[in-house]
Amino acid sequence: MEEPWLRGPIPGVSPLLAPLLASFQQAREDLAACTEALTADQIWSAPPGFGTLGFHLRHIAGSTERLMAYLQGRELTPAQMEALRSEKEPGADRDELLTAIDSTFRDAEAVVRAIDPGTLADPRWVGRKRLPTTVIGLLTHIAEHTQRHVGQAIVTARMARRTMEP
């Protein structure tokens, strides 16, 4: 099967917004494949010099949710800040982590589908310092940040398989 960005236009979605949706679908597929059959111990083991796979999976969901809040012109909630602080804490298994990512992506996709492409240059801000960006700037960053952590997750999953083999 072709990668999501090569599967043609997404019905009802502006071609200016579709790349983010393709990025999310690529992440879903890559993460499902690279984590297949991994145990909770493997997901939360830290290969020397690396973060855990569990962290990367939690961070993909958490960062997407936080960046989407900024996209919508909202500040982060105390619950989002607490989730950020606890991203490295072990506990969730593969299915729970992938379900959290999928749920976050579905929420984000609904927001993206409703964006008027005429607003892509509208200003937005990020963080307590209110750093300036735009709607398209945030959308681009969400896509590239997601893919950056997917790549790290793939490498970490491979290392976890090798370091935990009997």
Side-chain angles (χ1 to χ4, degrees), residues 10-109:
I10 300 172
V13 176
S14 166
L16 298 173
L17 300 170
L20 178 62
L21 303 186
S23 174
F24 286 163
Q25 187 58 33
Q26 186 76 51
R28 284 180 179 105
E29 293 172 17
D30 287 347
L31 292 172
C34 82
T35 62
E36 190 172 356
L38 286 177
T39 66
D41 285 343
Q42 288 171 312
I43 288 170
W44 291 103
S45 68
F50 288 81
T52 66
L53 173 59
F55 161 74
H56 290 294
L57 298 177
R58 271 205 189 127
H59 186 69
I60 289 166
S63 63
T64 298
E65 180 184 338
R66 291 186 295 273
L67 290 165
M68 290 303 294
Y70 295 131
L71 180 73
Q72 295 171 71
R74 295 183 287 123
E75 294 191 30
L76 300 185
T77 66
Q80 287 171 316
M81 294 303 294
E82 178 56 32
L84 172 62
R85 288 188 288 273
S86 65
E87 285 180 346
K88 293 181 181 180
E89 294 177 16
D93 65 21
R94 174 188 183 265
D95 290 341
E96 292 168 320
L97 293 164
L98 293 181
T99 297
I101 290 169
D102 185 59
S103 176
T104 299
F105 285 174
R106 286 185 191 282
D107 291 345
E109 287 164 344

